[in-house]
Amino acid sequence: MEKNFIIAGFGGQGVLLAGEVLANAFMLANKNVTWYPSYGAEMRGGTVNCEIVMSDEEVSEVNKSDVDFLVALNQASFDKFLAKIKQGGWMIANSTLVKEIKTRTDINYIFAPITKLASDLGNGKMTNILALGILAKASKLVSIETLNQALDNVIPPHRKNLLPLNIKALKIGYEYDLLPMNA
C-alpha cells in the first residue's frame, strides 16, 4: 500500500516541520517514506509545500501526479493543489483562511478552523501540528502516539520547551469532530 500526501501553506506556518514530523512517524511505524520539500524564494509569506510518500514497499517515486491527502493551510494552496487529489481522496482545508467551496464531487472535504483552534490554544503557530492531528484521524494511517514520538524526535533541543503544547495541539486536532463533507 502506497499513500501520498501534500501539506501546503505559506512560509511561517510550519509546513515543512509538519511534513518532517509525519515522515518521521511513518518511519517509526516501519514504513518506507520520502519527504520532499518545495518552497519559493521568499522566506516568510511565500508558498511552501512538501510531499510525503509512505509505502509498505519501496517508494516508487516522489513528485506524484496525484495525491491521496492534501492539507491546505491557506487559500493559494487550496486553489493550487485541489486538482491533484485522487478520486476518493481527501482535502483537509483550514477554513480560517480557506473559503468552503466544494467544486469536486469525487473527493472528500474536511473544512476545519485550524488557525482559530490553534489561536484558542494560545499559540497560532500550532496550526501545522493541529492539522497533523486532523490528518491522522482522517487517514487512519498513523497513530497519535506515533506522532507524539515523532514530535519528540523532530523538535530541536532549543524548542523542546514547546513539546507539551505541540502534543496538546496534536490531540485537539485528532479529537476534532471531522464530519467529512462530500460535495
Side-chain angles (χ1 to χ4, degrees), residues 132-151:
L132 274 185
I134 294 171
L135 174 62
K137 186 173 183 180
S139 72
K140 299 179 177 84
L141 293 170
V142 63
S143 72
I144 193 166
E145 294 80 18
T146 304
L147 282 167
N148 284 338
Q149 181 61 51
L151 273 167

Side-chain angles (χ1 to χ4, degrees), residues 54 116 142:
M54 177 275 297
K116 182 187 179 314
V142 63

Side-chain angles (χ1 to χ4, degrees), residues 44-120:
R44 293 208 180 265
T47 59
V48 177
N49 69 82
C50 61
E51 182 175 349
I52 301 93
V53 182
M54 177 275 297
S55 180
D56 293 324
E57 309 297 324
E58 284 188 28
V59 172
S60 62
E61 65 182 324
V62 294
N63 201 12
K64 303 274 190 178
S65 59
D66 53 16
V67 298
D68 298 288
F69 296 90
L70 172 64
V71 176
L73 297 179
N74 66 351
Q75 188 68 50
S77 299
F78 181 92
D79 296 341
K80 180 177 181 177
F81 294 111
L82 180 63
K84 281 191 82 159
I85 302 171
K86 292 178 184 177
Q87 182 177 357
W90 290 80
M91 163 62 80
I92 299 168
N94 178 9
S95 64
T96 308
L97 301 176
V98 175
K99 294 176 197 151
E100 293 190 31
I101 300 171
K102 296 171 258 176
T103 57
R104 292 184 55 187
T105 59
D106 62 335
I107 65 171
N108 301 291
Y109 292 88
I110 295 172
F111 290 95
I114 301 169
T115 300
K116 182 187 179 314
L117 291 169
S119 294
D120 291 349

